[in-house]
Amino acid sequence: MDQPGDLLPAISDLDFSIPSDIAAGAEDALVEISRFDAELAASLPRADGELAPLAVVLLRTESASSSQIEGVTAGAKALAIATLNESSGQNARMVAANVEAMQKAIDLADDLSTDSILAAHLALMHDQAYAHPGRLRDGQVWIGGGPTPHTATFVPPRRERVPALMDDLVRFCRRTDIPVLTQVSIAHAQFETIHPFNDGNGRTGRTLVHAMLRRSGVTRRLTVPVSAGLLTDTDAYFAALGSYRDGDPAPIISQFSRASFAAVGNGRRLVSDLTGIYAEWQQILPSRQGSAARRVLPHLLSQPAVTVDHIQKHLEVSQPAARRAVDQLVEAGVLKQISTGKRDRVWIARDVITALDDFATRSGRRG
């Protein structure tokens, strides 16, 4: 059993002695994250004056992976449909909520505070009343071990300590004298040890990771799929959290370094797959440049399930123009209809769905 949570120290003013090889590995991983983030700008041509949305794809896969660590799985097809607010399973809707929560990381980066962390939790858990969305827990919780805390794997601090510990964590996150990935790793482990919410701690804690990376300037295009890297070895990740609670931060820093390299490698492969798909689409689609069908192609990389109404609103075109675009994309083999009937029909870009599911499989998704 880890040390009792009530022995958890404040960390805002602590000095951490990190072995040189662990610190060097974290710095190398940070350089790789920054390099990959910069590569996204050159991955695809601009569409309608804006960067083609590969960063949004990575955001979605990161959100999905973040949920999968806690046993919530949803395939790319179900998630894409859930994003349309069409009929979908509970798991897909939960992962879709994670996308909104990860978007909150942008706000966290600008104003990192307990309140902004509460806002991210509210976005993540807004339809799950038992979790008290957007509120710190008001009772004792424990991790593992059955119906009582006496046999638990870990018992977090008493609720009375949580507000002060969260304020201390925010002060730690704002420090500028600690190498970034080392700081991110420790902050994440401290957050998970405080366990400030009734539920959704893991997902909110991983949102904090990306807020800190963005705040530090390491990432500018929202997110690199670090949670997907953590997913490749969840046993080691949870063991590293246990070591942190026993007073040794080195293993969690190593896990984040490893996860970062794994995530970047996997992310680069996803970018390559999607770039190839986009290039092939441009070749096989006979529509002229500037047509609605061609204008929707980059959007399909980040939203591979669409309806006529969705395309109409996204492109700001008439319904007949949107319907004509769908017909042309179906004829070219870019889209395939997956629902029947005349109303609320949904089409998917199967190649993108396959690329996203392959990404998740490489990440070690289970279920």
Side-chain angles (χ1 to χ4, degrees):
M1 176 177 173
D2 299 327
Q3 67 177 11
D6 276 333
L7 298 181
L8 181 67
I11 63 171
S12 58
D13 297 321
L14 280 184
D15 292 326
F16 292 89
S17 179
I18 308 300
S20 59
D21 59 328
I22 301 295
E27 286 303 293
D28 290 344
L30 192 72
V31 169
E32 196 72 357
I33 291 174
S34 184
R35 182 181 294 126
F36 175 62
D37 181 76
E39 288 170 6
L40 291 181
S43 296
L44 283 178
R46 292 175 179 266
D48 299 333
E50 296 181 0
L51 183 67
L54 276 179
V56 180
V57 174
L58 292 172
L59 166 68
R60 177 169 298 167
T61 52
E62 169 68 358
S63 301
S65 296
S66 186
S67 290
Q68 288 154 10
I69 290 178
E70 296 178 8
V72 179
T73 61
K77 177 180 173 182
L79 177 55
I81 294 172
T83 306
L84 282 175
N85 295 319
E86 302 292 331
S87 176
S88 58
Q90 180 180 359
N91 278 1
R93 288 193 298 270
M94 188 177 299
V95 177
N98 241 22
V99 175
E100 182 183 358
M102 201 67 79
Q103 292 282 8
K104 288 286 185 180
I106 299 176
D107 298 330
L108 279 175
D110 294 334
D111 178 25
L112 186 56
S113 66
T114 299
D115 285 343
S116 58
I117 294 173
L118 291 174
H121 184 258
L122 177 62
L124 174 63
M125 310 298 288
H126 70 278
D127 60 349
Q128 300 175 56
Y130 70 91
H132 295 175
R135 292 157 51 193
L136 298 175
R137 58 179 166 89
D138 57 4
Q140 186 62 58
V141 295
W142 56 91
I143 302 171
T148 72
H150 300 293
T151 57
T153 304
F154 176 69
V155 180
R158 290 175 289 113
R159 64 179 179 86
E160 291 87 355
R161 294 195 63 207
V162 170
L165 284 169
M166 287 297 292
D167 289 343
D168 174 78
L169 173 62
V170 167
R171 288 193 297 273
F172 174 80
C173 293
R174 290 175 175 171
R175 285 173 61 174
T176 59
D177 62 328
I178 304 174
V180 173
L181 197 62
T182 292
Q183 184 181 30
V184 167
S185 305
I186 292 172
H188 174 77
Q190 181 79 353
F191 178 92
E192 298 303 333
T193 301
I194 298 169
H195 222 70
F197 301 115
N198 286 345
D199 195 19
N201 292 281
R203 280 165 271 167
T204 307
R206 286 182 288 276
T207 299
L208 178 62
V209 167
H210 298 288
M212 293 182 66
L213 289 173
R214 188 169 177 84
R215 179 183 175 86
S216 69
V218 173
T219 58
R220 292 181 173 85
R221 292 158 190 86
L222 195 58
T223 187
V224 173
V226 175
S227 289
L230 291 172
L231 185 65
T232 59
D233 191 350
T234 53
D235 289 342
Y237 166 67
F238 290 125
L241 286 178
S243 295
Y244 175 82
R245 291 161 185 163
D246 287 335
D248 182 5
I252 194 64
I253 298 170
S254 293
Q255 282 302 305
F256 266 83
S257 299
R258 181 198 58 77
S260 297
F261 281 112
V264 168
N266 201 4
R268 282 190 173 124
R269 185 166 173 185
L270 173 62
V271 169
S272 177
D273 289 346
L274 293 175
T275 302
I277 290 168
Y278 184 75
E280 183 179 356
W281 284 350
Q282 289 186 305
Q283 290 183 342
I284 65 177
L285 188 64
S287 302
R288 59 178 173 79
Q289 292 293 333
S291 67
R294 282 195 176 272
R295 286 169 54 203
V296 82
L297 288 180
H299 183 60
L300 293 176
L301 297 177
S302 59
Q303 180 49 44
V306 294
T307 63
V308 170
D309 286 346
H310 179 84
I311 291 177
Q312 181 184 356
K313 293 175 182 175
H314 176 72
L315 296 181
E316 297 182 342
V317 297
S318 66
Q319 187 173 73
R323 189 176 300 279
R324 186 162 54 251
V326 168
D327 289 342
Q328 291 170 346
L329 291 166
V330 170
E331 178 68 22
V334 173
L335 291 179
K336 176 180 176 59
Q337 184 175 330
I338 60 170
S339 60
T340 58
K342 295 184 177 181
R343 294 179 60 85
D344 300 324
R345 287 183 290 177
V346 177
W347 289 263
I348 62 167
R350 290 177 296 178
D351 292 342
V352 174
I353 296 294
T354 298
L356 293 173
D357 279 336
D358 287 348
F359 174 94
T361 299
R362 291 192 302 270
S363 296
R365 185 178 70 190
R366 299 169 299 281

